[in-house]
Amino acid sequence: MIERDCNCAISEIDTVASKLKDLYSADLTLLLDVEDDLGDGNVTLQYTLGAILAQANGHTVHHYAIIGYIMDRLDVVIEDENFGYNPTTPKAVLKNTKVG
């Protein structure tokens, strides 16, 4: 439904945003067991909540970068010039070519 119904998608986004806001007061050092299939079957690893959120943030930026590239190729203008750019990625600096 989320893929076909904008109201459903907006409702889900609101729900996720609300849950993320609840994390402001969370203990980021909390240890959590995370089960993942790393290619050779499921493995359970411990991560802190902070580490999981940091990884999710980086992965989200990665997906935004792909979306930004596709939109650029489709000549769709994105108003946010930082969309899809990791804040730690150096930006090109134009040299001052002042004459005189």
Side-chain angles (χ1 to χ4, degrees):
M1 288 292 291
I2 291 173
E3 295 175 358
R4 294 183 299 273
D5 182 344
C6 285
N7 290 326
C8 180
I10 290 169
S11 176
E12 187 65 21
I13 289 169
D14 289 342
T15 299
V16 171
S18 176
K19 288 179 180 181
L20 287 172
K21 287 177 185 173
D22 290 343
L23 292 174
Y24 281 120
S25 60
D27 177 6
L28 298 180
T29 64
L30 177 68
L31 283 175
L32 300 168
D33 289 335
V34 176
E35 188 174 315
D36 197 358
D37 183 345
L38 302 177
D40 291 328
N42 287 353
V43 176
T44 301
L45 302 168
Q46 281 195 328
Y47 293 93
T48 64
L49 176 59
I52 292 169
L53 293 172
Q55 193 277 336
N57 179 66
H59 198 78
T60 300
V61 171
H62 157 78
H63 281 273
Y64 285 175
I66 293 168
I67 292 167
Y69 175 78
I70 291 168
M71 292 178 78
D72 180 68
R73 298 295 90 190
L74 294 172
D75 292 324
V76 175
V77 176
I78 301 173
E79 297 293 328
D80 183 351
E81 65 186 34
N82 293 315
F83 182 83
Y85 286 96
N86 187 318
T88 63
T89 301
K91 291 188 176 183
V93 178
L94 298 176
K95 292 184 179 182
N96 187 349
T97 56
K98 195 175 187 179
V99 178

